[in-house]
Amino acid sequence: MASFTAFPIYPFLFLTISGCYLLHVPPLMASSLGVNYGQIANNLPSPDAAISLIKSLGVSKVKLYDASPQVLRAFANTGVEFVVGLGNEYLSKMRDPDNALQWVKTNVKAYLPQTKITCITIGNEVLTFNDSSLTSNLLPTMQSIYTALQNLGLEKQVSVTTAHSLAILETSYPPSSGAFRRDLKNCITAILNFHLKTGSPLLINAYPFFAYKANPKQVGLDYVLFQQNQGVLDPSTNLRYDNMLFAQIDAMHTALANLGFKRVCVQVSETGWPSKGDEDEVGASPENAKKYNGNLVKLVNEKRGTPLRPNMDLDVYIFALFNENLKPGPVSERNYGLFKPDGTPVYQIGGVTGKSGTGNVTGGTTSGGGSGGPSSSYESSSDGAPSGYLSISAASLSYGGGSSMLYLQGLLLCACMCWCLLSFSDMNSIFNCMPPKQYSAFEIKRVDEEENERMTESSKVWER
């Protein structure tokens, strides 16, 4: 343990500054990784049993696609944060303010604060179902649920959002050409205004597996599995992408910026790789699933943003905790789980529990087609997520490893700097240097200009 003898003066002030003042200094990144906890099965363990599995992964957040009373009660007083969901089938009913208020009382407020509910997702991939009734009810329901939270005084601790398939994009290659579908632009703009107003994130379901499955001869396996490869260069930005997921995320960032919403936060609510599939589901294997999810864990653990947004928080939710035997569709739909229903792992990913190895995950011989070599082109998912997905939950966790030590060292260094400042100044002068919490229109414009300069500079860093 380090000694404080090097600070003989004001030891109390040193501890006070390092423990309190530094709380105002945010970490450079706040990335987190999640894992979906789906329950479309008749052979899964009880929620009580799932607690130990989730904690064994180091998971501290769980996202539900409904508001299962059994799950929410089981996780009371565990410290696990929850996202609860309102299914597509309830949208028309819950746009009514009275119904929305009752739903929030029953499915959110009733479990607080014992169960930490932090977000509500309204529907799932609604805009790409091509159902005019669902689409027309989506935003009004989001607004009704948010109003209910306001009426109950919960809007500051519980946010409201919805998850989208990548199919809401009309173009995604190269990432700099990302644009929303023209027929959805008005609807999406209204939803983005809601996100901007309430501060909630935009959720996307991104599956590089589908792009590889659709065209294994052109999409490099290493490129989609986060393995070492020469990457793909975006000719417009000169940014190089060494994995498809980041290219998909940045295509969304570009689409948002083109509509004037680059301040809206993007989170990946679903991504994963199946361990088994039909004969035509190229690449579905335990080895590839281990590589995809294992390398994704390590990438998030590095707390590195995307090429276009190197300083952004990277929040990703892996699909899924369990294999789900009642899900419809191809074999892959029932084989995305990290665990079998009996609780045994489908494959081992040491990094999920916070253990960080070196290099890429290697799982053995890959199955399916594809050269596994560098990719010279980028293919976006045609679906964005499995069709008919009705999973119940997902989880998020923060990782330590070597980055935790670096962060601790940074805190100590900042504390030392604060102590030095105290030697030549008074406490008020330091706190007067704190940035204001509110910004004028001029200051916001200036921040945007600085962000553009940083993004331009970042392109040089990502070139290889």
Side-chain angles (χ1 to χ4, degrees), residues 87-301:
N88 293 353
E89 64 273 24
Y90 298 110
L91 295 186
S92 61
K93 180 180 180 180
M94 293 305 164
R95 66 179 293 168
D96 178 85
D98 293 333
N99 291 337
L101 181 61
Q102 186 58 48
W103 189 91
V104 173
K105 286 181 178 179
T106 302
N107 297 284
V108 178
K109 185 178 181 180
Y111 299 100
L112 296 172
Q114 288 79 12
T115 303
K116 298 174 63 177
I117 299 174
T118 60
C119 182
I120 303 170
T121 56
I122 308 301
N124 188 53
E125 301 186 354
V126 170
L127 299 185
T128 48
F129 274 103
N130 296 319
D131 185 320
S132 59
S133 176
L134 285 177
T135 299
S136 63
N137 285 317
L138 177 58
L139 181 58
T141 301
M142 293 173 68
Q143 293 169 330
S144 292
I145 294 294
Y146 183 76
T147 299
L149 290 171
Q150 288 180 310
N151 292 337
L152 297 172
L154 300 175
E155 78 279 4
K156 292 184 178 180
Q157 65 185 91
V158 182
S159 61
V160 177
T161 186
T162 186
H164 303 282
S165 161
L166 281 182
I168 64 174
L169 294 179
E170 184 168 294
T171 57
S172 59
Y173 174 78
S176 60
S177 70
F180 291 110
R181 280 171 41 183
R182 280 168 286 186
D183 61 313
L184 295 176
K185 190 168 294 185
N186 290 338
C187 179
I188 290 174
T189 298
I191 292 174
L192 293 177
N193 275 316
F194 174 87
H195 288 310
L196 198 62
K197 176 184 176 181
T198 64
S200 58
L202 172 74
L203 304 185
I204 60 172
N205 299 335
Y207 288 86
F209 167 72
F210 290 113
Y212 179 73
K213 169 188 171 182
N215 204 341
K217 293 183 178 180
Q218 292 188 17
V219 179
L221 186 59
D222 287 340
Y223 180 59
V224 293
L225 294 180
F226 309 101
Q227 299 283 93
Q228 185 175 358
N229 65 93
Q230 69 181 24
V232 177
L233 184 69
D234 188 318
S236 298
T237 61
N238 287 324
L239 296 176
R240 188 172 295 276
Y241 291 85
D242 58 12
N243 70 81
M244 179 176 284
L245 181 64
F246 277 14
Q248 293 175 332
I249 295 173
D250 277 353
M252 186 63 66
H253 282 139
T254 301
L256 289 170
N258 287 339
L259 287 184
F261 292 96
K262 66 180 180 179
R263 288 180 173 276
V264 172
C265 172
V266 176
Q267 296 181 2
V268 180
S269 47
E270 292 179 26
T271 191
W273 198 278
S275 60
K276 186 179 180 181
D278 291 318
E279 291 185 3
D280 64 342
E281 294 190 286
V282 180
S285 71
E287 295 83 5
N288 288 341
K290 176 179 179 178
K291 288 178 181 179
Y292 184 87
N293 290 326
N295 287 330
L296 176 61
V297 167
K298 292 181 179 181
L299 192 62
V300 173
N301 194 30

Side-chain angles (χ1 to χ4, degrees), residues 226-395:
F226 309 101
Q227 299 283 93
Q228 185 175 358
N229 65 93
Q230 69 181 24
V232 177
L233 184 69
D234 188 318
S236 298
T237 61
N238 287 324
L239 296 176
R240 188 172 295 276
Y241 291 85
D242 58 12
N243 70 81
M244 179 176 284
L245 181 64
F246 277 14
Q248 293 175 332
I249 295 173
D250 277 353
M252 186 63 66
H253 282 139
T254 301
L256 289 170
N258 287 339
L259 287 184
F261 292 96
K262 66 180 180 179
R263 288 180 173 276
V264 172
C265 172
V266 176
Q267 296 181 2
V268 180
S269 47
E270 292 179 26
T271 191
W273 198 278
S275 60
K276 186 179 180 181
D278 291 318
E279 291 185 3
D280 64 342
E281 294 190 286
V282 180
S285 71
E287 295 83 5
N288 288 341
K290 176 179 179 178
K291 288 178 181 179
Y292 184 87
N293 290 326
N295 287 330
L296 176 61
V297 167
K298 292 181 179 181
L299 192 62
V300 173
N301 194 30
E302 291 175 1
K303 300 187 181 298
R304 174 169 63 104
T306 64
L308 186 61
R309 298 289 181 87
N311 296 320
M312 81 164 195
D313 294 345
L314 187 61
D315 295 293
V316 180
Y317 297 85
I318 291 178
F319 181 73
L321 182 62
F322 293 113
N323 285 335
E324 301 168 74
N325 68 339
L326 295 183
K327 289 191 64 181
V331 170
S332 62
E333 288 293 315
R334 296 175 287 282
N335 289 278
Y336 275 88
L338 298 175
F339 291 99
K340 299 176 183 178
D342 62 3
T344 59
V346 179
Y347 45 84
Q348 297 287 345
I349 304 180
V352 172
T353 59
K355 300 176 182 178
S356 180
T358 57
N360 293 101
V361 173
T362 56
T365 304
T366 59
S367 65
S371 63
S375 172
S376 59
S377 65
Y378 167 83
E379 297 288 340
S380 65
S381 166
S382 60
D383 298 315
S387 60
Y389 172 52
L390 300 172
S391 177
I392 291 181
S393 72

